[in-house]
Amino acid sequence: LAAGCDQHYSIDSTGGSEPPQKTISVTGTAKLEVQPDEASVEYTFSSTEKKIAAAHAATAAKVDAFVKTLEAAGVPKSDVVFGYTNYSPDYVYEENKPGRIVTFTATTSLTVKTKDFKKIPAIVEAGIAANPTSLGSVQFYSTNLPEHKKKVRDMALRAVKEKAEQIARGLDVKLGKAISVSEGGWSSSAYRYYGPSYGYGYGWGGNVANVAQAQGVSGAPSEMAGPISPGTTPLELTIDCVFEIK
């Protein structure tokens, strides 16, 4: 973790009938390396049938089989978060005729989460075996982000105050109260992805065919050696503050 301030400040004196106001403007930046504590993978399953009910039933069967496979691998059902179910008509078009509905596609999305990174290969392998429509990359993130943000904000505020005090001492002036403060946008890679660049070949937004091709059809994720290590993600904040000087 680190905290510091940019070498930026100014002394401002404004004219007019009121006594001039003298200020120091300071910019402070703090950064904290955050360790992810949870991972998730997103899947979609879909089926196409002539009737909506049949398409729904076929998709539900795929999802049910997938969840049972996960439970057999030690992933509890409570770690499976269901997203949405969508029904869309499929049309055929003939010359000089309006589109005609011939089938319906039912699509369901779900996300599997885990705090045990050792289970990730089994989760992805279960997804591939269930023949999903799409399979996302593994996303790593921190579930304690609000607490981490509080810590970084405290670090940035301390850095701002220390810098302002140092400048005041150097200019032989007395530091007054803070009269304004603004918080810049947070800078962070909120999620870290485990995709092709990390070696497994699970592409974000890719389809199952691409996944199988990337890993080699016979190379199941659980057979691959080496632990999955997501590393850390920097969380950074900048604060601008204006102090009175006397």
Side-chain angles (χ1 to χ4, degrees), residues 46-66:
S46 61
S47 300
T48 301
E49 301 288 346
K50 291 184 177 181
K51 300 291 184 180
I52 290 180
H56 172 88
T59 300
K62 291 180 180 180
V63 172
D64 185 60
F66 173 53

Side-chain angles (χ1 to χ4, degrees), residues 181-203:
V181 61
S182 62
E183 184 177 288
W186 288 92
S187 175
S188 171
S189 301
Y191 298 92
R192 292 185 66 85
Y193 303 100
Y194 198 86
S197 61
Y198 291 85
Y200 268 13
Y202 307 145

